[in-house]
Structure formats: structure tokens, C-alpha cells
Amino acid sequence: MNITIAGAGYVGLVTSACLAEIGHIVICFDKDTEKIEDLNRGWCPIFEPGLQEMISRNMGEERLFFTDQANLAYGDADCILITVGTPQRADGSADTTNIDQAALDIAENIQKDVAVAIKSTVPIGTNERIEAVILDNAMPGLTVEVISNPEFLREGSGIYDTFHGDRIVIGSSHERAARIVEEIYQPLAIPVLHTDPRSAEMIKYASNTFLAAKISFINEIANLCDLSGANIEDVSTGMGMDKRIGNQFLNAGIGYGGSCFPKDTQALEQMARQNDYDFKILRAVREVNDRQKQTLYRKAKNLAGNLSGKRTAVLGLSFKPNTDDIREAPSLDLIRDLLDEGAEVVVYDPVAMEKVQRLFGDKLSYASSIDEAIERAELAFIVTEWKEIKEFSLSKYRESMKTPLLFDGRNCYSVKETEKHGIQYVSVGRPGVPDTYTSSRPTDAF
């Protein structure tokens, strides 16, 4: 099938590569000429495990093409998938400007009947409105049917999620268009749920905001564990064994980030307000997450006092492992707090350093390894649970740091193991290692 993907962002690139991989002829369209030129030269603008190789392979086998020419992209398409971004407006609602522009571009360039599927996360009712926009501006006589086909990709696991997804949701009032989209995904052998368009649009928001609520809930329990002496790992394990609850998204930490959960919780809350409904749980979810991002900073202040002038290492900058995305990343809040305190901040991340450097410039020092970041540091913070951070030898903290004081925002290490290595260790919702190593530290450490 000839498929056009509108938008060469994260969802667009992953979807393009994966659909080409299963045999479709895919054209990915984007108005960003520089991005398209980079892709045609074989360079992928985002970090996603396996994506660069999959794009190169399918380009070489002439199943995947990139263009900034709308007429080439849309003229012969059997199905068009819209994957453009819907950024957040100042009031928290989703900005559909890119969707509207994509609809006009499609209308002006299609030459035959076509099914259009919106994968972007959009306000309820967008599918109906976009179908009207396309039909009002397309050549008379063409049949254009717009459906909802939300994506459920996790950054860092997008390719895996495409091939091993839990469900494919198709929201449509058009049987023909729904059949075309279902046929596209048939080789994946993933269960398909057919709904009306508005329900499909809501499924996306409801799914993301429920996961965000689960994260905020377990973080609140972790905070109570800190105060009461319980261990959040035992608590979450016990909860997760209940099949009604499940064990996913029950890892306590310093809050969620990224492009989806923060944006979608605010957008759904805004939709509720527009419908005169007070969505109290969502407001609490966001408030808890905003506060949770300051957990490590508060713990450091309580334990170390004044941080001014202290050499501080921040390990992990992306909002989660296996991505270079720093949008709403907890690391940014921590870095700003440390800088405001007057700390000397050294950062390290396997892939996200360049993006952080664009934000902070020479206000930070940028290490090329964990070893370099923690050298002579008086405090170290683990913010992102990259594999290389989780597997980093605890003995090196003891050997390299001026004072082995480690604040772990992702509970990467065993409390018992840190105690064995003589490290003062503070995590989230777990008992801390007592400060029994003062005699081996400089007397003016704190």
C-alpha cells in the first residue's frame, strides 16, 4: 500500500520506518527542508535505539522515501497518517495549528480518494473538524474519510512498541477507511479495537493521564515511606502482585517528564474546564509531579545545608533512558535549583548533553564520562536510570568523590550494597544509609 506520513517528528519517523519494514511503500513528508535533506543523507535527527539502522535499510530497499514536496507526498497516497505535533498553548490546551495546516496541504494536493488517519494526540472532536476542512478545500468529487488512529509509543521503545503493541485503536464512522487502516497493520498481528472517533481520541488522553496518575500516586506513597520508615520497593512489589493493580509504573522516583504526560494531563484538564467539569484528580497529579521534581534538591539541602560553591555531579539528563528528549525532564529543575544555590554543576548523559548545553551554555561543566563527572565531587545526583549509570561501580564513587554522598532519584542501587562500599546514600522512599563514614572525610566537608 502507498502510505504517506505527514510529519517527520518522533512518531512520524518511527511509524514510517516500521511500516516500510513490513513491506509498505512509505513517503514521509515534512516542510522542514533541512531535516528532509539530513534524512536523505542517511542521518536521523532523533535518538531512538534501532531507528537509524531501520531507516537506512528501508531507504536502501526503496520502500522508504523522504520529501518536502507536498504534491509528491500526497498525490498518489492510498492512506495518509498525520503525525504532526500538537504543542501546548499557554492555557494548557493542545495547539492544533500543525494539524490544520496538514489538512490544508492534503486537500490541495490529493489526486484520488484517500483515507486519512490522525495519529497525533488531539482534542475530542478534531477528526470531524479536519474531515470538513479537507472536503471543503479538496477537488470536488473526491472521497476523503478521516479517522482516529492514536499512537501509544514509548520514547526509547518505539520500534518494539510498534511490533508488540497491546492494541491498535481505530476510531471511525467510515467502514472503508477503517478497513484500509486495519489492513495496514495486519502483518503486526496486534488486536484491533474499533470505536467511534471521539472515543478513540479520548482513549489516548485517558491512557496517558492514568499512567501519569499512577506515577504520582506511587511517589506520594514513597514520600510517606520516607516519613514512616517503610520501604517503597517492598510496598510497590506487594501492590504490583495484585492483578487489579499490576506492577508497571510503580517505580518511585523524582517524577515524570517528556513530551506526553505533562502535556496531555494539562490538555485533558483544560478540556474538562471547557466542559464545565472540575477534574480534581488531574490537578493533583500535576501538582504532585511538580513537587516531586524537587525531591533530590530538598534532600540535599536538608543533609548538606548550603550548597554554594560545592562541586556537584548530575548523572542523566534525558527524561528517561534511551532517548535524547529533555522536554520537562526532572534534571532541568534540579540543575536550575543547584545553579540558583551557587553550586558548581558538572553534568553527564550518554546522548542528551548537546541539548542541555543549548539551554545552559557555560553555566555548567560537561563531562565525557561518569568518572569525569564525579571526580572530586562533593555530591552526586542520579536523575536518569541509564544502563551505564545503573551498572557503574559503586567503588568508584568512593574512590573519586571528595565526599561519597550520592542522591539517587531512580533507586538504581541496593541500599545494602552502598553501605558496604562506604557511601552515604539517599534514595526515594527507602531507608537511607547512616552517615558512619565521617572520620574518613575532610572535616570541612559540610
Side-chain angles (χ1 to χ4, degrees):
M1 194 177 296
N2 293 327
I3 300 170
T4 292
I5 308 293
Y10 177 81
V11 175
L13 289 175
V14 172
T15 303
S16 295
C18 291
L19 292 183
E21 185 78 5
I22 61 176
H24 297 295
I25 304 301
V26 180
I27 297 176
C28 183
F29 167 77
D30 199 287
K31 290 190 171 184
D32 187 334
T33 299
E34 184 177 350
K35 179 187 289 187
I36 294 300
E37 289 176 350
D38 286 339
L39 285 162
N40 281 322
R41 284 195 294 264
W43 182 77
C44 182
I46 63 172
F47 178 84
E48 178 72 18
L51 183 59
Q52 176 79 65
E53 295 79 6
M54 187 175 286
I55 287 175
S56 298
R57 179 169 61 252
N58 283 282
M59 288 178 67
E61 296 177 4
E62 298 187 342
R63 289 194 298 265
L64 179 58
F65 306 87
F66 297 95
T67 184
D68 59 357
Q69 303 298 309
N71 60 325
L72 297 178
Y74 298 127
D76 193 41
D78 298 311
C79 183
I80 299 168
L81 306 182
I82 298 177
T83 67
V84 297
T86 52
Q88 183 177 300
R89 289 194 176 102
D91 64 358
S93 63
D95 185 347
T96 60
T97 301
N98 294 330
I99 297 277
D100 297 338
Q101 186 57 58
L104 290 173
D105 291 339
I106 291 168
E108 293 169 0
N109 289 281
I110 54 175
Q111 301 295 318
K112 64 180 188 181
D113 296 347
V114 66
V116 177
I118 298 179
K119 296 190 75 65
S120 306
T121 305
V122 294
I124 313 306
T126 298
N127 277 254
E128 299 155 23
R129 184 175 62 78
I130 291 302
E131 181 170 287
V133 170
I134 296 175
L135 289 172
D136 288 346
N137 291 276
M139 289 190 303
L142 290 181
T143 298
V144 180
E145 297 174 337
V146 178
I147 72 170
S148 175
N149 177 220
E151 55 83 18
F152 302 98
L153 304 180
R154 298 169 298 168
E155 289 192 54
S157 308
I159 292 175
Y160 178 87
D161 290 345
T162 300
F163 289 103
H164 304 89
D166 297 318
R167 77 293 202 197
I168 293 167
V169 175
I170 298 175
S172 175
S173 54
H174 306 292
E175 184 177 344
R176 174 182 172 275
R179 188 171 62 251
I180 288 172
V181 174
E182 183 170 359
E183 184 181 338
I184 288 173
Y185 296 115
Q186 191 171 17
L188 301 176
I190 295 173
V192 177
L193 172 65
H194 288 276
T195 74
D196 63 273
R198 292 190 173 217
S199 295
E201 292 166 337
M202 182 63 85
I203 287 170
K204 170 65 175 182
Y205 278 111
S207 298
N208 275 1
T209 54
F210 180 80
L211 295 176
K214 202 170 180 182
I215 293 170
S216 283
F217 179 83
I218 200 64
N219 282 335
E220 286 282 74
I221 295 295
N223 294 336
L224 191 53
C225 285
D226 273 335
L227 297 171
S228 65
N231 188 318
I232 189 59
E233 289 187 337
D234 293 337
V235 173
S236 61
T237 298
M239 290 174 62
M241 293 173 71
D242 188 327
K243 294 178 181 178
R244 297 169 301 173
I245 298 173
N247 59 9
Q248 293 185 321
F249 288 82
L250 286 182
N251 296 319
I254 52 173
Y256 59 76
S259 62
C260 293
F261 289 0
K263 178 171 70 74
D264 291 351
T265 51
Q266 291 195 52
L268 188 57
E269 189 179 352
Q270 176 66 10
M271 276 188 273
R273 283 196 294 267
Q274 291 170 353
N275 285 277
D276 296 323
Y277 184 75
D278 184 9
F279 208 144
K280 295 180 180 179
I281 290 178
L282 267 189
R283 186 164 61 252
V285 166
R286 293 197 301 104
E287 290 173 355
V288 167
N289 195 63
D290 289 343
R291 186 177 71 243
Q292 195 70 15
K293 288 182 177 182
Q294 291 189 315
T295 296
L296 291 190
Y297 174 71
R298 291 197 304 268
K299 287 174 180 284
K301 283 288 291 176
N302 289 338
L303 185 59
N306 184 9
L307 303 180
S308 180
K310 286 186 166 55
R311 183 175 173 87
T312 304
V314 176
L315 307 177
L317 303 173
S318 56
F319 85 93
K320 64 180 290 188
N322 298 322
T323 180
D324 60 351
D325 194 344
I326 61 169
R327 286 175 288 184
E328 303 288 339
S331 64
L332 304 184
D333 295 77
L334 175 61
I335 289 170
R336 292 187 185 104
D337 287 336
L338 292 172
L339 290 175
D340 289 344
E341 186 78 9
E344 176 190 348
V345 182
V346 185
V347 300
Y348 171 74
D349 187 280
V351 300
M353 300 272 277
E354 183 178 340
K355 290 187 174 180
V356 169
Q357 191 164 12
R358 288 178 204 157
L359 286 179
F360 292 98
D362 60 5
K363 295 178 182 177
L364 307 177
S365 297
Y366 302 90
S368 59
S369 66
I370 302 174
D371 294 273
E372 182 183 343
I374 66 173
E375 183 68 30
R376 296 178 289 103
E378 297 170 74
L379 304 89
F381 296 88
I382 295 176
V383 185
T384 311
E385 64 275 32
W386 283 95
K387 182 180 179 182
E388 71 170 279
I389 293 175
K390 292 195 295 183
E391 295 179 352
F392 188 73
S393 173
L394 282 167
S395 62
K396 292 186 177 181
Y397 289 105
R398 179 69 178 172
E399 295 164 4
S400 299
M401 294 180 68
K402 182 178 179 181
T403 51
L405 177 54
L406 180 60
F407 295 88
D408 186 353
R410 300 299 180 185
N411 292 353
C412 294
Y413 291 113
S414 158
V415 174
K416 290 183 179 179
E417 285 301 310
T418 56
E419 189 170 15
K420 288 179 184 177
H421 284 82
I423 297 169
Q424 188 172 9
Y425 180 69
V426 181
S427 55
V428 180
R430 303 188 298 177
V433 176
D435 184 3
T436 58
Y437 310 102
T438 305
S439 60
S440 63
R441 298 177 182 167
T443 55
D444 62 345
F446 296 110

